[in-house]
Amino acid sequence: MQLEEIQSAFEADLAAADGEAGLEEIRVKYLSRSGALNEARGAIDFSKLSGQEKKEVGQTFNRVKQAMESALADAKAAAEASGAGLPDFDVSRPGLAERPGCIHPLIATQLQVEDIFHSMGFTVFQGNEAVSEYDNFDAVNIPGDHPAREMQDTFWLENGDVLRTHTSSMQNRAMQELGVPLRAIFPGRCFRAEALDATHENTFYQLEGMYIDRDVSVANLIAVMKELLVQVFQTDLDVRLRPGYFPFVEPGFELDFRSAVVGGKTKWIELMPCGMIHPNVLREGGVDPEEYSGFAFGLGLSRLAMIKFGIPDVRLFNGGDLRFYEQFAATL
Ligand code: FA5
């Protein structure tokens, strides 16, 4: 084949090439040791050429070879960029392994609750699991000698920090960093040195919320909590508040709910502590309690997931028994 013929055949092949595998075929066909270019060069009888002619033929071959190599490299880069030639399968499909895995029921609950709060205009604020003693206790109105510290015994680190006992440890930072008006939730793991039983773990999940604005009242608190529960359980339900004591709210409440679908119409289910944010806590966060008011709540996310999925023992969440998690594989 003449050099021009080789070149135009190469260009036609390149234009019709299908993905990276097709381009590799073209490379082999034209540019490899046994490719068309080398073959054409081998067919020339150099012994019959003058020194000058040999030089010119050699240069022409090199120029053509370089042009073909560069066209091929460009086509490869374009194919890579467009994803052509990638394996023909859907990377988002579940794996073929016997145990493809599933979302942990606690995290599934957290994601659902986050979605619901998003729809009510709340942002998700992330915090650390190891926090200062100030953030965990003092900033939320629990000074050093307060008996509430004893109820939340925790793990102390050598630098004086603590593994947070509650997500309320993020209240101060949220006010300082996000300012007011504030609508935020902070989900996450908490730790307590507890006597363990079916409802008490040393490592569990809470989801805190704060709503601060002018003229926020208990009515707003009830409305938001009811909306949350209606959406989580997809059913109408009643909520009620009972007095509860927490140093960082005044008044403080325990919120219960009752529904025909969850637990029966007559049974009140204790769900979460909440209340109107204490003026000391607002002040500590740089918020003027004369101008702003707000509510806060500390939802036991582990508890909510237990109610939602009918899980009898909180220790199953962290137990590491795959048979437990696999029960949710089909639904989560
Ligand atoms: C608190 O931690 C408060 N910070 C909640 C709060 C926030 C009140 C804002 C008012 C305003 P309490 O210790 O009750 O409160 O814990 C809240 C929820 O976390 C409990 O209702 C329970 O569902 C869950 N919880 C607490 N301790 C454990 C534990 N050891 N294991 C599993 N869940 C727990």
Side-chain angles (χ1 to χ4, degrees):
M1 247 202 283
Q2 292 296 309
L3 206 48
E4 297 79 45
E5 283 174 48
I6 294 174
Q7 243 181 316
S8 55
F10 168 82
E11 277 159 18
D13 280 357
L14 199 61
D18 185 20
E20 286 180 60
L23 293 173
E24 176 58 15
E25 272 175 32
I26 294 176
R27 188 193 69 75
V28 172
K29 182 171 169 189
Y30 293 95
L31 291 163
S32 68
R33 200 184 298 194
S34 56
L37 208 55
N38 256 355
E39 219 170 75
R41 192 187 187 130
I44 296 173
D45 186 355
F46 278 86
S47 63
K48 292 196 176 136
L49 300 181
S50 69
Q52 180 59 24
E53 282 169 337
K54 279 183 198 162
K55 198 173 155 196
E56 278 171 13
V57 170
Q59 281 174 347
T60 308
F61 265 94
N62 278 346
R63 208 176 43 249
V64 170
K65 186 173 180 214
Q66 275 168 15
M68 285 164 85
E69 280 173 348
S70 129
L72 199 62
D74 287 350
K76 263 193 183 160
E80 264 172 34
S82 75
L86 286 179
D88 184 20
F89 65 82
D90 177 0
V91 288
S92 64
R93 277 177 59 185
L96 297 175
E98 257 175 59
R99 292 179 163 170
C102 69
I103 296 182
H104 192 287
L106 255 177
I107 301 303
T109 309
Q110 178 183 326
L111 294 175
Q112 185 193 17
V113 172
E114 283 181 8
D115 273 353
I116 296 167
F117 276 109
H118 267 146
S119 74
M120 291 192 271
F122 284 71
T123 50
V124 179
F125 185 62
Q126 301 289 351
N128 296 336
E129 293 180 343
V131 297
S132 65
E133 178 182 356
Y134 169 80
D135 278 340
N136 199 76
F137 295 119
D138 303 80
V140 285
N141 212 22
I142 313 178
D145 54 359
H146 199 287
R149 285 210 176 191
E150 220 173 333
M151 287 153 60
Q152 299 196 4
D153 189 17
T154 183
F155 304 89
W156 293 77
L157 308 184
E158 279 171 4
N159 68 358
D161 284 356
V162 296
L163 294 190
R164 65 177 173 198
T165 60
H166 53 177
T167 40
S168 303
S169 58
M170 288 153 71
Q171 287 197 3
N172 187 265
R173 272 197 41 219
M175 287 184 284
Q176 303 277 4
E177 287 182 29
L178 303 175
V180 285
L182 172 69
R183 250 185 281 179
I185 53 167
F186 352 121
R189 255 192 326 180
C190 302
F191 309 84
R192 291 186 197 177
E194 292 268 28
L196 305 188
D197 61 27
T199 52
H200 294 90
E201 250 290 20
N202 50 32
T203 305
F204 57 97
Y205 279 71
Q206 286 189 346
L207 188 139
E208 189 95 357
M210 283 184 111
Y211 188 141
I212 306 175
D213 207 335
R214 292 185 174 86
D215 303 323
V216 175
S217 72
V218 176
N220 301 116
L221 165 65
I222 295 173
V224 168
M225 292 303 129
K226 188 164 177 184
E227 179 63 18
L228 165 72
L229 293 172
V230 165
Q231 288 204 40
V232 167
F233 294 108
Q234 293 290 307
T235 179
D236 195 24
L237 39 77
D238 304 320
V239 297
R240 77 171 179 194
L241 297 179
R242 286 177 292 118
Y245 174 71
F246 298 90
F248 31 93
V249 285
E250 179 55 38
F253 309 107
E254 291 285 350
L255 183 139
D256 305 332
F257 75 99
R258 184 172 70 170
S259 101
V261 175
V262 189
K265 190 66 195 159
T266 52
K267 188 176 156 209
W268 286 100
I269 299 174
E270 181 177 334
L271 185 69
M272 83 179 104
C274 51
M276 301 306 291
I277 303 168
H278 197 289
N280 288 351
V281 175
L282 290 173
R283 233 175 267 122
E284 202 68 22
V287 178
D288 181 0
E290 299 298 326
E291 197 180 347
Y292 287 96
S293 55
F295 64 77
F297 56 89
L299 172 65
L301 206 56
S302 308
R303 177 157 174 70
L304 183 67
M306 286 169 75
I307 299 169
K308 186 171 149 69
F309 295 110
I311 295 167
D313 193 321
V314 69
R315 290 167 294 191
L316 287 164
F317 287 128
N318 296 341
D321 185 338
L322 287 181
R323 290 169 306 172
F324 168 68
Y325 308 116
E326 278 165 359
Q327 295 174 70
F328 303 96
T331 48
L332 299 179

